[in-house]
Amino acid sequence: MRIVDLRSDTITRPTPAMRRAMAEARVGDDVLGEDPTVKQLEEMAAERLGKEAALFVASGTMGNLVSLLVHCHRGDEFILGDQSHTFFYEQGGSAGLGGIHPRTVPNQPDGTLALHNIEAAIRPDDIHFPRTRLIALENTHTRCDGSPLDVKYMRAVGEIARRYEVKVHVDGARLFNAAIALGMEARDLVAEADSVSFCLSKGLGAPVGSVVCGTRDFITEARRVRKMLGGGMRQVGILAAGGIVALTEMLDRLAGDHANARKLAEGLADIDGLSIDPERVKTNIVYLKVTRSDTVSELLSEKLSSEGVRLLPTGPNQLRAVTNYHVTSDDIDYALGVFRRVLSSI
Ligand code: TLP
């Protein structure tokens, strides 16, 4: 059966070039700082993001957690969006493992936090209050239609952070999608950030891993925290080698994912019983609402998957599709056909 897997870009399997690079990677004990392939990936990543140093970590979740644990101590507070991945999907790790108090501010539909809300959430120096240490942004914003946060906004948040002497962390799981959608270099987008975590294992197709970037001092601390979390891995150049191919060969193709997402959204907007605004689709994530009834929504999701078109249910009557490098423009036509057929038969 033909499969069009749109559940996430995390489902991507390594390319033949990645598998070759991984099989042939030069490796050493990375906890002892002796893995040349990991070092190469970390240098490449730091250079790309215009930061002094970088650290290879097991996942996006670990990248965010390590960063939070370096920036904040127990009882400190950090400001983040109420729709952010860190708040929603990372098991409350900041509080659970770090004793760090999350202070949510509403995400606006475009993924930003209103600047006045950020400012209002920063605590004055008062014995009653936790200390605000950090503002955490997400770019692109997964739960806000994969919206890219533009450079003007990123700079404005940086300016507030400097004024109040707090740090900025960017969960850039899909940072390169943002950069490509905005037509700019990723490094310019995160110039104001003290730390950035980006994923190799999403649209870039590597099987495992994320990279955290920041100052040399920040990364030295982050390396300690990664070890504390059990994330010090040994001959991990085997994984980093896939990441090097991801960074070298897989960036430009993200534009194709964005075009496919827009095409999917435009096609879905023409189908009765679905609600979607294609203008909101700027990167590779598409959210759609099923407007007919709860039963139709459940049936739709079941029937789509029984016909090989896989989406992720993300809420009542809501489904998410994420384009990725296994999905071609032709697959989008096929998926749209399945949508039309299934909906007209319910
Ligand atoms: N997101 C996954 C799911 O967890 C929802 C997905 O399929 O989109 N930050 C952001 C913005 C993310 O979207 C994700 C993964 C992460 C961090 C965590 O990355 P991993 O899965 O590597 O821990």
Short mmCIF file of all heavy atoms in Angstrom, two decimals, residues 7-11 58-64 84-86 89-90 138-143 171-174 197 199 201-202 209-210 285 287 312 320 322, ligand 1:
data_model
loop_
_atom_site.label_atom_id
_atom_site.label_comp_id
_atom_site.label_asym_id
_atom_site.label_seq_id
_atom_site.Cartn_x
_atom_site.Cartn_y
_atom_site.Cartn_z
N ARG A 7 2.82 12.43 9.77
CA ARG A 7 2.66 12.63 11.22
C ARG A 7 3.68 13.63 11.76
O ARG A 7 3.37 14.41 12.63
CB ARG A 7 2.80 11.29 11.95
CG ARG A 7 1.59 10.38 11.75
CD ARG A 7 1.86 9.01 12.29
NE ARG A 7 3.03 8.41 11.64
CZ ARG A 7 3.69 7.37 12.09
NH1 ARG A 7 3.32 6.79 13.23
NH2 ARG A 7 4.74 6.89 11.43
N SER A 8 4.90 13.53 11.24
CA SER A 8 5.94 14.46 11.69
C SER A 8 7.13 14.37 10.74
O SER A 8 7.25 13.40 9.97
CB SER A 8 6.39 14.09 13.11
OG SER A 8 7.32 15.06 13.58
N ASP A 9 8.02 15.36 10.83
CA ASP A 9 9.29 15.23 10.10
C ASP A 9 10.29 14.41 10.92
O ASP A 9 11.40 14.12 10.46
CB ASP A 9 9.85 16.62 9.73
CG ASP A 9 9.78 17.61 10.89
OD1 ASP A 9 9.49 17.19 12.02
OD2 ASP A 9 10.02 18.82 10.65
N THR A 10 9.89 14.01 12.13
CA THR A 10 10.76 13.13 12.93
C THR A 10 10.77 11.70 12.40
O THR A 10 11.62 10.91 12.80
CB THR A 10 10.30 13.07 14.40
OG1 THR A 10 8.95 12.57 14.41
CG2 THR A 10 10.33 14.43 15.05
N ILE A 11 9.82 11.38 11.52
CA ILE A 11 9.74 9.99 11.03
C ILE A 11 10.78 9.71 9.93
O ILE A 11 10.92 8.57 9.48
CB ILE A 11 8.32 9.66 10.49
CG1 ILE A 11 7.93 10.59 9.34
CG2 ILE A 11 7.27 9.74 11.59
CD1 ILE A 11 8.14 10.05 7.99
N ALA A 58 21.39 14.28 22.73
CA ALA A 58 20.61 13.16 22.22
C ALA A 58 19.32 13.58 21.53
O ALA A 58 18.85 12.90 20.62
CB ALA A 58 20.28 12.20 23.37
N SER A 59 18.74 14.70 21.95
CA SER A 59 17.42 15.06 21.42
C SER A 59 17.16 16.56 21.63
O SER A 59 17.89 17.22 22.38
CB SER A 59 16.34 14.28 22.19
OG SER A 59 16.34 14.68 23.55
N GLY A 60 16.07 17.01 21.02
CA GLY A 60 15.67 18.40 21.21
C GLY A 60 15.28 18.65 22.66
O GLY A 60 15.58 19.70 23.24
N THR A 61 14.62 17.66 23.25
CA THR A 61 14.22 17.78 24.66
C THR A 61 15.45 17.95 25.54
O THR A 61 15.49 18.80 26.44
CB THR A 61 13.41 16.53 25.07
OG1 THR A 61 12.28 16.44 24.20
CG2 THR A 61 12.95 16.60 26.50
N MET A 62 16.48 17.16 25.27
CA MET A 62 17.70 17.27 26.07
C MET A 62 18.39 18.61 25.82
O MET A 62 18.91 19.23 26.75
CB MET A 62 18.66 16.11 25.79
CG MET A 62 19.86 16.13 26.73
SD MET A 62 21.08 14.86 26.38
CE MET A 62 20.49 13.52 27.38
N GLY A 63 18.36 19.08 24.59
CA GLY A 63 18.98 20.37 24.27
C GLY A 63 18.34 21.49 25.05
O GLY A 63 19.03 22.36 25.62
N ASN A 64 17.01 21.48 25.11
CA ASN A 64 16.32 22.53 25.87
C ASN A 64 16.60 22.39 27.37
O ASN A 64 16.87 23.37 28.06
CB ASN A 64 14.81 22.47 25.62
CG ASN A 64 14.46 22.93 24.21
OD1 ASN A 64 15.17 23.74 23.61
ND2 ASN A 64 13.36 22.42 23.66
N SER A 84 4.23 26.51 24.01
CA SER A 84 5.58 26.09 23.59
C SER A 84 5.76 24.59 23.79
O SER A 84 5.14 23.97 24.67
CB SER A 84 6.64 26.85 24.38
OG SER A 84 6.54 26.55 25.76
N HIS A 85 6.63 24.02 23.00
CA HIS A 85 6.93 22.59 23.11
C HIS A 85 7.47 22.30 24.50
O HIS A 85 7.12 21.30 25.13
CB HIS A 85 7.94 22.18 22.04
CG HIS A 85 8.11 20.71 21.93
ND1 HIS A 85 8.95 20.00 22.77
CD2 HIS A 85 7.54 19.78 21.12
CE1 HIS A 85 8.89 18.71 22.46
NE2 HIS A 85 8.03 18.54 21.46
N THR A 86 8.33 23.19 25.01
CA THR A 86 8.93 22.96 26.33
C THR A 86 7.85 22.89 27.41
O THR A 86 7.93 22.07 28.32
CB THR A 86 9.95 24.07 26.65
OG1 THR A 86 10.99 24.00 25.66
CG2 THR A 86 10.57 23.91 28.03
N TYR A 89 5.28 19.52 26.00
CA TYR A 89 5.66 18.16 25.62
C TYR A 89 6.97 17.67 26.22
O TYR A 89 7.52 16.69 25.74
CB TYR A 89 5.80 18.06 24.10
CG TYR A 89 4.55 18.33 23.30
CD1 TYR A 89 4.52 19.34 22.34
CD2 TYR A 89 3.41 17.55 23.46
CE1 TYR A 89 3.40 19.58 21.57
CE2 TYR A 89 2.28 17.78 22.69
CZ TYR A 89 2.28 18.80 21.75
OH TYR A 89 1.17 19.03 20.99
N GLU A 90 7.53 18.40 27.19
CA GLU A 90 8.84 17.96 27.68
C GLU A 90 8.77 17.52 29.14
O GLU A 90 9.73 17.65 29.90
CB GLU A 90 9.90 19.06 27.41
CG GLU A 90 10.08 19.23 25.90
CD GLU A 90 11.00 20.38 25.48
OE1 GLU A 90 11.78 20.87 26.31
OE2 GLU A 90 10.89 20.79 24.31
N GLU A 138 10.46 29.91 20.77
CA GLU A 138 10.47 28.71 19.90
C GLU A 138 10.35 29.17 18.45
O GLU A 138 9.41 29.89 18.11
CB GLU A 138 9.29 27.83 20.30
CG GLU A 138 9.24 26.50 19.57
CD GLU A 138 8.08 25.64 20.10
OE1 GLU A 138 7.85 25.58 21.33
OE2 GLU A 138 7.40 25.05 19.25
N ASN A 139 11.30 28.75 17.62
CA ASN A 139 11.33 29.24 16.23
C ASN A 139 11.85 28.14 15.30
O ASN A 139 13.01 27.78 15.42
CB ASN A 139 12.27 30.46 16.16
CG ASN A 139 12.01 31.29 14.93
OD1 ASN A 139 11.18 30.97 14.12
ND2 ASN A 139 12.78 32.36 14.78
N THR A 140 10.98 27.58 14.41
CA THR A 140 9.59 27.89 14.18
C THR A 140 8.74 27.43 15.36
O THR A 140 9.20 26.60 16.16
CB THR A 140 9.05 27.19 12.91
OG1 THR A 140 9.08 25.75 13.11
CG2 THR A 140 9.90 27.49 11.71
N HIS A 141 7.50 27.91 15.43
CA HIS A 141 6.66 27.53 16.55
C HIS A 141 5.73 26.38 16.16
O HIS A 141 4.78 26.55 15.41
CB HIS A 141 5.85 28.73 17.06
CG HIS A 141 5.41 28.50 18.46
ND1 HIS A 141 4.45 27.57 18.78
CD2 HIS A 141 5.85 29.01 19.63
CE1 HIS A 141 4.30 27.53 20.09
NE2 HIS A 141 5.15 28.40 20.63
N THR A 142 6.00 25.21 16.75
CA THR A 142 5.31 24.00 16.32
C THR A 142 3.79 24.10 16.46
O THR A 142 3.06 23.78 15.53
CB THR A 142 5.82 22.79 17.13
OG1 THR A 142 7.22 22.71 16.94
CG2 THR A 142 5.17 21.51 16.68
N ARG A 143 3.31 24.52 17.64
CA ARG A 143 1.86 24.51 17.86
C ARG A 143 1.17 25.75 17.29
O ARG A 143 -0.05 25.85 17.35
CB ARG A 143 1.54 24.37 19.36
CG ARG A 143 1.80 22.95 19.86
CD ARG A 143 1.49 22.83 21.36
NE ARG A 143 0.15 23.19 21.70
CZ ARG A 143 -0.90 22.37 21.67
NH1 ARG A 143 -0.72 21.10 21.32
NH2 ARG A 143 -2.10 22.79 22.00
N ASP A 171 14.48 27.63 21.35
CA ASP A 171 14.23 26.26 20.92
C ASP A 171 14.06 26.33 19.41
O ASP A 171 12.98 26.62 18.90
CB ASP A 171 12.96 25.71 21.60
CG ASP A 171 12.60 24.32 21.07
OD1 ASP A 171 13.27 23.84 20.14
OD2 ASP A 171 11.64 23.72 21.60
N GLY A 172 15.16 26.07 18.73
CA GLY A 172 15.15 26.16 17.27
C GLY A 172 15.12 24.76 16.67
O GLY A 172 15.87 24.47 15.74
N ALA A 173 14.25 23.91 17.22
CA ALA A 173 14.13 22.55 16.69
C ALA A 173 14.06 22.59 15.16
O ALA A 173 14.70 21.81 14.47
CB ALA A 173 12.90 21.87 17.27
N ARG A 174 13.29 23.57 14.65
CA ARG A 174 13.16 23.73 13.19
C ARG A 174 13.67 25.12 12.77
O ARG A 174 13.06 25.79 11.94
CB ARG A 174 11.71 23.51 12.76
CG ARG A 174 11.20 22.11 13.08
CD ARG A 174 9.79 21.85 12.54
NE ARG A 174 9.37 20.49 12.82
CZ ARG A 174 8.80 20.09 13.96
NH1 ARG A 174 8.55 20.96 14.92
NH2 ARG A 174 8.45 18.82 14.12
N SER A 197 19.04 25.70 20.57
CA SER A 197 19.10 24.27 20.34
C SER A 197 18.41 24.00 19.01
O SER A 197 17.33 24.54 18.76
CB SER A 197 18.36 23.57 21.49
OG SER A 197 18.10 22.24 21.16
N CYS A 199 17.45 20.83 15.95
CA CYS A 199 17.37 19.38 15.76
C CYS A 199 17.92 18.96 14.41
O CYS A 199 17.61 19.56 13.38
CB CYS A 199 15.92 18.91 15.86
SG CYS A 199 15.24 19.10 17.51
N SER A 201 17.34 15.79 13.64
CA SER A 201 16.54 14.59 13.39
C SER A 201 15.12 14.91 12.91
O SER A 201 14.26 14.04 12.94
CB SER A 201 16.45 13.79 14.68
OG SER A 201 15.86 14.60 15.68
N LYS A 202 14.88 16.14 12.47
CA LYS A 202 13.55 16.46 11.96
C LYS A 202 13.66 16.63 10.44
O LYS A 202 14.01 15.68 9.76
CB LYS A 202 12.98 17.67 12.69
CG LYS A 202 12.81 17.36 14.18
CD LYS A 202 11.97 18.36 14.91
CE LYS A 202 11.53 17.79 16.26
NZ LYS A 202 12.63 17.50 17.20
N GLY A 209 19.60 13.18 17.20
CA GLY A 209 20.45 14.24 17.71
C GLY A 209 20.02 15.67 17.48
O GLY A 209 19.29 15.99 16.54
N SER A 210 20.47 16.50 18.40
CA SER A 210 20.30 17.95 18.34
C SER A 210 21.63 18.57 18.72
O SER A 210 22.51 17.89 19.27
CB SER A 210 19.23 18.39 19.34
OG SER A 210 17.96 17.99 18.91
N ILE A 285 4.49 22.77 8.44
CA ILE A 285 3.46 22.24 9.34
C ILE A 285 2.08 22.76 8.94
O ILE A 285 1.91 23.95 8.69
CB ILE A 285 3.78 22.62 10.81
CG1 ILE A 285 5.15 22.04 11.20
CG2 ILE A 285 2.70 22.12 11.76
CD1 ILE A 285 5.55 22.25 12.65
N TYR A 287 -2.01 22.56 10.11
CA TYR A 287 -3.07 22.12 11.02
C TYR A 287 -4.41 22.27 10.32
O TYR A 287 -4.64 23.27 9.64
CB TYR A 287 -3.10 23.00 12.28
CG TYR A 287 -2.00 22.68 13.25
CD1 TYR A 287 -0.79 23.37 13.21
CD2 TYR A 287 -2.15 21.68 14.21
CE1 TYR A 287 0.23 23.08 14.11
CE2 TYR A 287 -1.13 21.39 15.11
CZ TYR A 287 0.05 22.08 15.05
OH TYR A 287 1.06 21.78 15.93
N LEU A 312 -1.34 13.36 12.37
CA LEU A 312 -1.31 13.26 13.83
C LEU A 312 -2.52 13.98 14.41
O LEU A 312 -2.67 15.18 14.19
CB LEU A 312 -0.02 13.93 14.33
CG LEU A 312 0.41 13.63 15.75
CD1 LEU A 312 0.92 12.20 15.87
CD2 LEU A 312 1.50 14.61 16.17
N ARG A 320 -2.79 17.24 12.42
CA ARG A 320 -1.58 17.93 11.99
C ARG A 320 -0.88 17.13 10.91
O ARG A 320 -0.77 15.90 11.02
CB ARG A 320 -0.62 18.10 13.18
CG ARG A 320 0.60 18.93 12.85
CD ARG A 320 1.63 18.91 13.96
NE ARG A 320 2.45 17.72 13.92
CZ ARG A 320 3.59 17.56 14.60
NH1 ARG A 320 4.01 18.51 15.41
NH2 ARG A 320 4.29 16.46 14.51
N VAL A 322 2.81 17.17 8.69
CA VAL A 322 4.14 17.79 8.57
C VAL A 322 4.81 17.19 7.34
O VAL A 322 5.00 15.96 7.27
CB VAL A 322 5.01 17.52 9.83
CG1 VAL A 322 6.34 18.24 9.71
CG2 VAL A 322 4.28 17.95 11.09
N1 TLP B 1 8.39 17.79 18.39
C1 TLP B 1 7.69 16.58 17.99
C2 TLP B 1 6.69 16.14 19.05
O1 TLP B 1 7.28 16.07 20.29
C3 TLP B 1 5.47 17.03 19.12
C4 TLP B 1 7.01 16.82 16.67
O2 TLP B 1 6.66 15.81 16.04
O3 TLP B 1 6.82 17.99 16.27
N2 TLP B 1 11.16 21.49 20.31
C5 TLP B 1 10.22 21.51 19.35
C6 TLP B 1 9.75 22.82 18.84
C7 TLP B 1 9.74 20.30 18.83
O4 TLP B 1 8.78 20.34 17.89
C8 TLP B 1 10.24 19.08 19.34
C9 TLP B 1 9.71 17.75 18.84
C10 TLP B 1 11.21 19.13 20.32
C11 TLP B 1 11.66 20.36 20.80
C12 TLP B 1 11.78 17.89 20.96
O5 TLP B 1 12.60 17.19 20.12
P1 TLP B 1 12.94 15.64 20.45
O6 TLP B 1 11.76 14.86 19.97
O7 TLP B 1 14.18 15.40 19.66
O8 TLP B 1 13.16 15.54 21.91
#
